[in-house]
């Protein structure tokens, strides 16, 4: 039998349940442990997450749509849903806060970068990976974790992102762009 407030893993987990657990996790943990607490929560609920359709949100010029599902009133974290169409990709970027990303469906590619004096836009590629349904990755604030995400498949991919800051007014505030293609959408 599950503890109070923790959804049963035999049934789908909705965003409200994820948010309730995330609020408990960050409220009860030291600030430097928030990313780890959210990662443990995502490991438990990601296989059972049920997301609402958000086809009313436009796809941006880079081929994906994103929607802020929740922002904690004290700014501890925000939850975003992202839908990646075939060929979609972000600019190369870092983040202004920690983050945790889970693949709900499909596959997402990630190319990582390191800062350098020479090379394109002051960064150089350090490798690419592809992650499928159920994969979870974390990122530390900039300059650690410079990367770009992309959909390498011919199918739509859905991811859920939890970032350690309030993104209710500007979902792009999480990003620290590298190079000329700043994050506009």
């Amino acid at each position: 039998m599950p503890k109070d407030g923790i959804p049963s893993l035999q049934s789908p987990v909705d965003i409200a349940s994820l948010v309730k657990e995330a609020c408990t996790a960050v409220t009860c943990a030291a600030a430097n442990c928030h990313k780890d607490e959210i990662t443990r929560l995502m490991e438990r609920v990601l296989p059972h997450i049920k997301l609402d359709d958000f086809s009313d949100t436009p796809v941006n010029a880079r081929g994906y749509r994103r929607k802020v599902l929740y922002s904690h009133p004290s700014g501890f974290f925000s939850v975003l849903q992202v839908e990646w169409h075939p060929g979609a990709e972000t600019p190369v970027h870092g983040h202004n806060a920690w983050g945790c990303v889970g693949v709900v469906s499909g596959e997402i590619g990630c190319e990582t970068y390191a800062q350098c004096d020479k090379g394109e836009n002051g960064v150089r590629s350090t490798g690419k990976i592809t992650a499928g349904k159920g994969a979870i990755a974390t990122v530390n604030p900039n300059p650690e974790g410079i990367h770009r995400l992309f959909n390498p498949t011919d199918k739509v991919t859905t991811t859920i992102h939890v970032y350690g800051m309030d993104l209710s007014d500007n979902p792009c505030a999480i990003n620290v762009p590298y190079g000329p293609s700043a994050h506009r959408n």
Side-chain angles (χ1 to χ4, degrees), residues 11-179:
S11 61
V13 177
D14 63 8
I15 289 300
S17 297
L18 171 66
V19 164
K20 183 177 179 181
E21 282 200 63
C23 288
T24 300
V26 300
T27 302
C28 296
N32 64 343
C33 297
H34 288 178
K35 180 179 73 168
D36 295 336
E37 291 295 322
I38 295 298
T39 301
R40 280 191 283 281
L41 172 61
M42 290 280 280
E43 288 169 347
R44 202 172 72 249
V45 302
L46 185 62
H48 311 282
I49 197 81
K50 179 182 176 288
L51 299 174
D52 292 333
D53 175 69
F54 71 119
S55 58
D56 59 328
T57 303
V59 175
N60 66 21
R62 293 189 166 273
Y64 57 94
R65 68 176 106 219
R66 100 180 113 215
K67 184 174 186 176
V68 176
L69 303 176
Y70 176 82
S71 287
H72 191 279
S74 296
F76 291 142
F77 67 93
S78 295
V79 180
L80 286 78
Q81 179 177 341
V82 183
E83 183 180 272
W84 307 85
H85 290 254
E89 66 178 327
T90 67
V92 176
H93 64 282
H95 288 294
N96 283 310
W98 60 265
C100 183
V101 178
V103 182
V104 176
S105 65
E107 294 181 0
I108 195 77
C110 180
E111 183 171 14
T112 56
Y113 295 83
Q115 287 185 311
C116 63
D117 293 332
K118 295 183 180 180
E120 189 174 326
N121 306 317
V123 294
R124 64 175 169 73
S125 176
T126 58
K128 291 182 185 178
I129 63 163
T130 302
K133 180 179 177 176
I136 297 171
T138 62
V139 65
N140 289 324
N142 196 57
E144 292 181 48
I146 301 168
H147 63 283
R148 74 178 180 95
L149 297 175
F150 57 96
N151 182 348
T153 74
D154 62 355
K155 296 181 176 132
V156 173
T157 293
T158 302
T159 54
I160 190 156
H161 303 238
V162 181
Y163 293 114
M165 65 185 285
D166 182 354
L167 298 174
S168 56
D169 291 333
N170 180 7
C172 293
I174 189 65
N175 297 316
V176 179
Y178 285 81

